[in-house]
């Protein structure tokens, strides 16, 4: 573990470099820590996690990134699996550094070996999309299944995606739809912040095109609107990887409205004054 004295000196060095206007949340957080005259700080992991969340809408400053890596590595020496996974996530997203899937997979594997379910879920993504590993749908399904059985809803809807596309399992759109509905049944307020947007988008597509269920343009429109609401908050909070999903939710609404318009009766009110 890094000593409080070392942390104090590092924080002073960082705040001397940091521009408060560019990184207001980071600056305020470090100032709050330094205001503690006793130099008693939270754990290395808690400081690192807080710094990662600060100013998430912009790229992390390099001096902050380097310090966060130090904090996580100190925790990793003590077998902290969350620190292993979180450091992998920094490299996966390229938050404060050049995106490096190789380093991400390295730390995800380390965390997964220590039983970290989120890291197992993250490895599922790596194998599904071939991010510094060969695409391997069997391994992707395996890792997603580990999380799904533990109630991790991202893992569960990714299992739905694999049924939707027929990756490793036999293609079954009805099963995919049931899994997406199951995700909504299990949704909590906390989970909704990360999961509701992508799941609503999938349900919108299912209802719009009748994949796995009967087509229903009105329900599709409602799903797309909910997807936009949640996905906007995710992207606005710094989850920029969901920009394409947000745009898909917006485009889906236009398609659903077009179908609803097509279904309206052609007959017109003769004097045009009823509206």
């Amino acid at each position: 573990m890094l000593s409080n004295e070392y942390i104090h000196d590092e924080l002073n060095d960082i705040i001397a470099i940091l521009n408060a206007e560019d990184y207001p949340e980071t600056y305020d957080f470090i100032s709050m820590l330094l205001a503690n005259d006793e130099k008693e700080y939270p754990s290395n992991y808690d400081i690192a996690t807080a710094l990662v969340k600060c100013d998430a809408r912009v790229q992390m400053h390099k001096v902050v990134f380097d310090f966060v890596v130090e904090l996580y590595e100190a925790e990793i020496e003590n077998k902290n699996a969350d620190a292993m996974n979180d450091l992998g996530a920094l490299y996966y997203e390229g938050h404060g550094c050049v995106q490096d899937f190789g380093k991400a997979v390295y730390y995800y594997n380390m965390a997964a070996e220590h039983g970290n379910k989120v890291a197992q879920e993250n490895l599922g993504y790596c194998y599904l999309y071939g991010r510094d590993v060969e695409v391997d749908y069997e391994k992707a399904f395996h890792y997603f299944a580990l999380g799904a059985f533990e109630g991790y809803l991202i893992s569960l809807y990714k299992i739905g995606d694999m049924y939707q596309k027929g990756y490793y399992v036999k293609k079954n759109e009805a099963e995919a739809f049931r899994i997406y509905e199951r995700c909504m049944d299990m949704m909590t307020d906390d989970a909704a912040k990360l999961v509701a947007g992508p799941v609503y988008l999938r349900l919108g597509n299912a209802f719009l095109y009748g994949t796995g269920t009967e087509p229903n343009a009105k329900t599709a429109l409602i799903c797309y609107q909910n997807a936009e609401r949640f996905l906007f908050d995710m992207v606005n909070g710094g989850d920029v990887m969901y920009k394409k999903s947000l745009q898909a939710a917006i485009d889906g609404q236009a398609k659903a409205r077009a179908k609803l318009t097509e279904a309206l009766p052609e007959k017109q009110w003769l004097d045009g004054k009823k509206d």
Side-chain angles (χ1 to χ4, degrees):
M1 300 290 288
L2 302 180
S3 70
N4 283 345
E5 195 69 37
Y6 179 81
I7 290 173
H8 179 81
D9 291 342
E10 287 296 302
L11 292 175
N12 269 312
D13 289 344
I14 292 170
I15 206 167
I17 295 170
L18 215 59
N19 186 320
E21 292 184 0
D22 293 337
Y23 299 95
E25 294 175 8
T26 308
Y27 193 92
D28 287 347
F29 175 69
I30 293 176
S31 297
M32 181 269 294
L33 291 178
L34 290 173
N36 178 2
D37 294 334
E38 301 298 322
K39 298 181 183 178
E40 294 179 357
Y41 300 119
S43 71
N44 292 179
Y45 178 77
D46 287 342
I47 295 174
T49 301
L51 287 170
V52 170
K53 291 179 180 178
C54 288
D55 301 302
R57 290 162 54 95
V58 298
Q59 187 77 325
M60 191 187 305
H61 195 291
K62 186 180 185 305
V63 294
V64 178
F65 174 82
D66 290 342
F67 183 52
V68 166
V69 170
E70 270 195 282
L71 292 166
Y72 278 144
E73 287 180 340
E75 289 286 337
I76 289 170
E77 288 181 6
N78 288 326
K79 312 299 183 186
N80 185 329
D82 289 333
M84 299 169 192
N85 174 72
D86 292 356
L87 183 51
L90 284 184
Y91 286 114
Y92 186 90
E93 297 170 7
H95 187 42
C97 63
V98 176
Q99 194 172 47
D100 191 329
F101 292 137
K103 287 184 178 178
V105 170
Y106 172 79
Y107 286 109
Y108 287 159
N109 272 313
M110 185 188 299
E113 289 171 2
H114 284 79
N116 187 282
K117 297 299 182 185
V118 178
Q120 292 169 349
E121 183 174 88
N122 290 337
L123 284 172
Y125 274 95
C126 293
Y127 281 107
L128 181 62
Y129 299 115
R131 289 168 180 164
D132 206 66
V133 293
E134 292 293 326
V135 171
D136 190 323
Y137 294 140
E138 182 176 1
K139 285 185 178 179
F141 190 91
H142 165 73
Y143 282 118
F144 287 137
L146 290 176
F149 284 128
E150 295 288 335
Y152 285 79
L153 296 187
I154 294 177
S155 288
L156 184 57
Y157 84 68
K158 294 308 293 183
I159 290 286
D161 289 353
M162 297 191 78
Y163 275 103
Q164 176 77 22
K165 295 178 171 64
Y167 291 161
Y168 177 63
V169 292
K170 185 177 179 180
K171 184 172 181 176
N172 189 330
E173 293 174 342
E175 180 63 19
F177 178 77
R178 284 192 289 269
I179 289 172
Y180 299 147
E181 285 200 312
R182 178 63 176 159
C183 284
M184 297 310 303
D185 290 340
M186 297 172 62
M187 195 72 64
T188 63
D189 289 342
D190 286 339
K193 297 172 185 177
L194 297 174
V195 184
V199 175
Y200 271 126
L201 178 60
R202 285 156 173 77
L203 287 171
N205 291 336
F207 282 115
L208 183 66
Y209 299 110
T211 52
T213 187
E214 290 296 316
N216 187 321
K218 187 174 181 180
T219 303
L221 177 59
I222 294 169
C223 288
Y224 285 133
Q225 289 171 329
N226 284 327
E228 180 187 9
R229 178 165 58 93
F230 283 103
L231 288 165
F232 176 84
D233 288 343
M234 292 172 71
V235 174
N236 194 44
D239 250 332
V240 295
M241 69 180 69
Y242 286 96
K243 276 188 174 181
K244 288 184 178 179
S245 294
L246 175 58
Q247 188 59 53
I250 295 169
D251 294 342
Q253 292 174 55
K255 295 174 183 177
R257 289 191 179 100
K259 283 186 175 291
L260 287 171
T261 300
E262 290 172 5
L264 292 175
E266 294 183 4
K267 187 175 179 180
Q268 300 292 324
W269 184 251
L270 296 181
D271 67 3
K273 295 180 180 178
K274 188 67 174 179
D275 291 338

